[in-house]
Amino acid sequence: MIVKWVDLENYRNYRHVFFELSPTLNVFVGENGQGKTNALESIFYLGIGKSHRTVRDYELIQFGETRSTLKTLVEHEIRNYQLEIQIEENVGKKAWINHAPYKKMSDYIGHLQVVLFSPEDLQLLKGSPALRRRFLDIEIGQSQPTYLYHLALYNKTLQQRNRFLKSHNIDESLLDVLDEQLSIHGSYILLKRIDFFKDLNHIASSLYEKIAYQKEKLNIKYDSSLRIDDAYLYSFTIHEFQEALYTGLQKQRKQDIHQCITTIGPHRDDLLFYLNEKDAKKYGSQGQQRTIALSLRLAEIELLYKLSREYPVLLLDDVLSELDDDRQKNLLLSMTEKVQTILTTTSWSSLADYFRMAPKLYKVDSGILTSEG
Amino acid sequence: MWGYPEPIERLMEQFMRLPGIGPKTAARLAFHCMSMSKETVAEFSKALLDIKERLVECQICCNITEFSPCPVCRDERRDRSVLCVVQDAKDVVAMERTHEFHGLYHVLQGAISPMDGIGPNDLRIRELLTRLAGTDDSVEEVILATNPTVEGEATAMYLSKLLRPFELKVTRIARGLPVGGDLEYADEVTLAKALEGRRSL
């Protein structure tokens, strides 16, 4: 899908701005604090109905105003959609598609699919395992509502079990029941995660190779707390997962009772990243880690395409800093015409030669956009 | 600052102990009570007391009743080969409204939930087992009709394990689509569950 134009009113530091976008590459150039990221954020917001920078919608309204309006025209393969979101202080937000009001945001979302890479994504590598599990859960849940159902029940049962482990006289047959319930929901989660993970690893590592120019190889591992050999892990059926999880819980029971916490299960799993067999979280450089995070986001594009047969719009916020010249070059060269890309950067002149296609260039200066061809 | 007279405030506080009642509704109810005749208020307060004084737990099925054993347990026309296990008294009424079930009930008075401090011993499980072992040995099938929540499922699973030695037919009520509903309006999970529990025609 392609964003044809965006129209913002009283949004962050933009009083009123209208900009058209090229179906291939768009570049926003400007100094820090001029509004490059704000412009990117507005497109993200029009797609997801949420900002990636804040949970408080009213922060998006320009200072001193009470209402902000965002509009965009999105071209799909079959037809066009005009999307509009209005944020009003103390009221909330309203959404329209082709001028028809949409009461539920969940029905609105999906008409503009976006993938955003921002500097915060480095946390995907550096942050806690919970962030990586969240990444998996969000990606899978987007396309499979039953996954979220099992995830919710798994977490509820987990809370029950952990609470139960803290009680004095533990009825082991009740613990059996909780273990069985955890295994039922947990096996579903594991099966879907492994499925997704296999695709992710495959796509992300080949993207990494492209950007790093074969200097090093990326390999991602699904680190299961069940300690199952990779070969089995990647070929288990749902029943085998259920069995493994149940026996695992039984084996850990003594320790779990001692620690008053459930020590194995998908809630303890993680993703590990290896560059040439070395743990990238520990030994990778800032630039290497950034490239990994970037590869994950770019892989998301392919995975979304697999699901919906339409490419999402790619938003790259300050992606080039911290990448060496070769990586910058390879990243820009790897961009295809199939994916509409919008990129922010502080300096442009040194990069101009790397672009395969002529980008649409916007200069951003204190909330004013100037088109430079 | 002027507040409500003490008796009104006291009544309001009592109303606010009820679920779903905040200060505004409580004030409205309290003032309404003032406009009622003394007889009506007396009736009202007697009705409140009666539910504590005149109700007991049925010695057989643990349902709440005026006289133990309860009318269902005493009714000789009921099918004594089927026993339906439910979480609370409201569920019995719901089942009775179907007019489809003619067996006996057993009311657990809750569901297992360690988070809320409710374990198997806080439920009427022991009573169920004694019942099946002794007085009600004519039972051939036990239907587990606890709610399809995490707690209800855990309770059902726990009971099914306990009931194994009795060599009874133990069944679980089905989950799926509401009757008269359109497929398109069903949420994805319900629909998936309905698909899972499909049967051949």
Side-chain angles (χ1 to χ4, degrees), chain B residues 36-49:
Chain B
M36 297 194 305
S37 71
K38 200 172 171 190
E39 291 74 39
T40 321
V41 173
E43 245 174 80
F44 187 55
S45 58
K46 186 168 176 312
L48 276 177
L49 271 177

Side-chain angles (χ1 to χ4, degrees), chain B residues 14 22 38 104 106 166:
Chain B
Q14 296 305 323
K38 200 172 171 190
L104 301 171
H106 189 86
F166 289 90

Side-chain angles (χ1 to χ4, degrees), chain A residues 121-140:
Chain A
D121 281 340
L122 201 53
Q123 287 301 317
L124 267 178
L125 258 104
K126 290 186 149 178
S128 69
L131 286 172
R132 288 180 285 281
R133 286 193 294 269
R134 213 176 90 99
F135 169 75
L136 289 175
D137 293 342
I138 289 175
E139 295 304 319
I140 303 167

Side-chain angles (χ1 to χ4, degrees), chain A residues 149 156 160 171 180-181, chain B residues 113-115 151 153 158 161:
Chain A
Y149 163 80
K156 185 89 192 282
Q160 292 280 20
D171 173 351
E180 200 173 328
Q181 278 191 310
Chain B
S113 176
M115 274 198 292
E151 294 76 20
E153 293 291 351
Y158 183 77
K161 281 182 203 288

Side-chain angles (χ1 to χ4, degrees), chain A residues 145-146 149 153 156-157 159-160 163-164 171 173-174 177 180-181 184, chain B residues 112-115 120 150-151 153-154 157-158 161 175 188-189 192-193:
Chain A
T146 33
Y149 163 80
L153 292 193
K156 185 89 192 282
T157 314
Q159 276 183 319
Q160 292 280 20
R163 187 69 194 69
F164 187 57
D171 173 351
S173 56
L174 177 53
V177 168
E180 200 173 328
Q181 278 191 310
I184 291 171
Chain B
I112 297 172
S113 176
M115 274 198 292
V150 168
E151 294 76 20
E153 293 291 351
M157 214 183 262
Y158 183 77
K161 281 182 203 288
R175 278 184 296 200
E188 296 84 352
V189 176
K193 284 285 160 200

Side-chain angles (χ1 to χ4, degrees), chain A residues 11-12 36-39 41-42 44 50-56 59-60 116 118 120 317:
Chain A
Y11 184 84
R12 295 270 196 195
K36 301 186 299 291
T37 303
N38 291 348
E41 179 194 40
S42 74
F44 184 85
K50 270 187 268 187
S51 162
H52 66 289
R53 293 195 290 180
T54 174
V55 287
R56 291 173 289 274
E59 286 178 13
L60 307 179
L116 167 81
S118 71
E120 290 86 28
D317 190 13

Side-chain angles (χ1 to χ4, degrees), chain A residues 96-212:
Chain A
W96 290 264
I97 297 175
N98 291 339
H99 307 289
Y102 271 60
K103 286 227 170 75
K104 277 165 69 182
M105 266 332 246
S106 56
D107 293 333
Y108 168 90
I109 295 164
H111 290 81
L112 166 56
Q113 289 186 324
V114 291
V115 167
L116 167 81
F117 177 84
S118 71
E120 290 86 28
D121 281 340
L122 201 53
Q123 287 301 317
L124 267 178
L125 258 104
K126 290 186 149 178
S128 69
L131 286 172
R132 288 180 285 281
R133 286 193 294 269
R134 213 176 90 99
F135 169 75
L136 289 175
D137 293 342
I138 289 175
E139 295 304 319
I140 303 167
Q142 265 179 5
S143 60
Q144 306 186 44
T146 33
Y147 180 82
L148 295 179
Y149 163 80
H150 284 285
L151 189 66
L153 292 193
Y154 180 87
N155 288 331
K156 185 89 192 282
T157 314
L158 189 66
Q159 276 183 319
Q160 292 280 20
R161 188 179 191 268
N162 287 342
R163 187 69 194 69
F164 187 57
L165 288 169
K166 289 187 184 81
S167 55
H168 293 300
N169 302 317
I170 288 178
D171 173 351
E172 299 244 355
S173 56
L174 177 53
L175 208 49
D176 285 343
V177 168
L178 292 172
D179 288 0
E180 200 173 328
Q181 278 191 310
L182 272 185
S183 318
I184 291 171
H185 301 304
S187 59
Y188 189 90
I189 296 170
L190 278 168
L191 186 79
K192 295 293 171 182
R193 278 199 192 158
I194 297 291
D195 255 6
F196 176 84
F197 161 78
K198 280 192 275 190
D199 280 348
L200 180 76
N201 185 22
H202 180 72
I203 298 169
S205 49
S206 80
L207 285 166
Y208 187 96
E209 220 166 314
K210 248 188 221 166
I211 302 169

